[in-house]
């Protein structure tokens, strides 16, 4: 397959239409991964130790919120961004850690396109606004977030 | 030192007054750390490879935005949260990745208290709203974010 065909198979800006939904996960969360991430970036007792987690308001060994966000990023990559013309993102509009993510949980969810527009300032690039909802294996919402991502357009000249 | 004295030395809700500022960093960012984080959570070319980073709009091997957030979390821990009565946080109100964080950068910054209030629903706990600004070694803002954190009160009965 030549490079042009490869590019054409990738999800481009035009594929992210309002209402489009992308499936995420499953992503199993291990105690080892929770502790490894927390040791490096967020060494608070409830993220490092089962007993301390149980004694906290989180109720068990629980992932750092930033670890949850990072795992969700990996779910985006495996779900659609890894096979897209992604050009990165300018930030996070909002992120709610609704419930603890505990060792042994399995995460899954969806990314839904809220809006999509071509950038006037950067021809060939479009901005896609997403809402992401991630649940645990009981279907309980653990994280809801919204952000905008940039994607290269497949056809530079088309109107949106 | 007994446990009570230890508790009294920790930063508690009462120490986070509107306008209070906490210094963060320095945190040196290595190419190895950027690639290790990206390999696990955000394997996009600009986070994995110097040449791909230079060819991207980011201009060099650049940290995943979630890696930047995680490094900043570590700066919070080392700056004040690690010596506090922190009870975690419900999410992120906003986060802007203003400039790329590149291999070789050194991050530093401040957390400033915007507001602080005791929770009616959880006696003994207060909510502190922060604005965080993180710069690189040239003083250029790389990340601005706002969030609320929960802290146990030192004196449960005091009015705020």
């Amino acid at each position: 397959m030549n490079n042009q065909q490869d590019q054409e198979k990738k999800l481009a800006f035009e594929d992210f239409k309002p209402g489009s939904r992308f499936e995420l996960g499953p992503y199993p969360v291990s105690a080892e991964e929770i502790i490894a991430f927390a040791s490096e970036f967020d060494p608070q007792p409830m993220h490092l130790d089962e007993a301390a987690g149980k004694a906290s308001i989180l109720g068990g060994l629980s992932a750092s919120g930033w670890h949850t966000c990072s795992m969700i990023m990996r779910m985006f990559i495996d779900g659609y961004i890894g096979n897209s013309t992604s050009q990165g993102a300018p930030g996070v509009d909002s992120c709610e850690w609704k419930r603890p993510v505990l060792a042994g949980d399995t995460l899954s969810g969806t990314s839904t396109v809220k809006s999509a527009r071509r950038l006037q300032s950067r021809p060939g690039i479009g901005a896609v606004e997403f809402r992401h909802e991630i649940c645990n294996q009981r279907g309980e919402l653990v994280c809801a977030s919204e952000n905008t991502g940039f994607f290269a357009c497949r056809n530079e000249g088309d109107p949106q």
Side-chain angles (χ1 to χ4, degrees), chain A residues 38-151:
Chain A
S39 300
E40 189 166 358
F41 297 116
D42 192 356
Q44 298 189 73
M46 62 282 200
H47 305 318
L48 292 171
D49 181 77
E50 177 71 36
K54 283 207 168 123
S56 79
I57 59 176
L58 300 174
L61 178 66
S62 59
S64 166
W66 298 109
H67 185 197
T68 298
C69 288
S70 299
M71 291 188 280
I72 294 171
M73 181 70 225
R74 180 70 205 215
M75 293 162 75
F76 297 159
I77 294 285
D78 294 340
Y80 56 98
I81 287 182
N83 184 38
S84 78
T85 63
S86 170
Q87 302 291 304
V92 186
D93 296 330
S94 69
C95 175
E96 296 172 272
W97 298 313
K98 306 287 274 185
R99 278 187 186 75
V101 172
L102 300 175
D105 279 357
T106 297
L107 305 181
S108 59
T110 56
S111 292
T112 304
V113 176
K114 289 180 66 183
S115 72
R117 64 185 173 81
R118 284 170 180 267
L119 295 180
Q120 297 290 329
S121 58
R122 305 192 70 140
I125 304 282
V128 179
E129 190 187 10
F130 291 98
R131 176 171 176 83
H132 313 289
E133 295 191 342
I134 310 297
C135 295
N136 62 22
Q137 67 280 8
R138 288 181 297 279
E140 297 165 338
L141 186 65
V142 297
C143 186
S145 65
E146 299 197 354
N147 84 310
T148 296
F150 296 136
F151 295 87

Side-chain angles (χ1 to χ4, degrees), chain A residues 15-37:
Chain A
D15 300 310
F16 296 95
K17 297 188 193 319
S20 300
R21 210 171 77 160
F22 299 87
E23 299 292 324
L24 305 171
Y27 189 112
V29 184
S30 71
E32 292 70 24
E33 188 184 339
I34 287 175
I35 293 167
F37 185 99

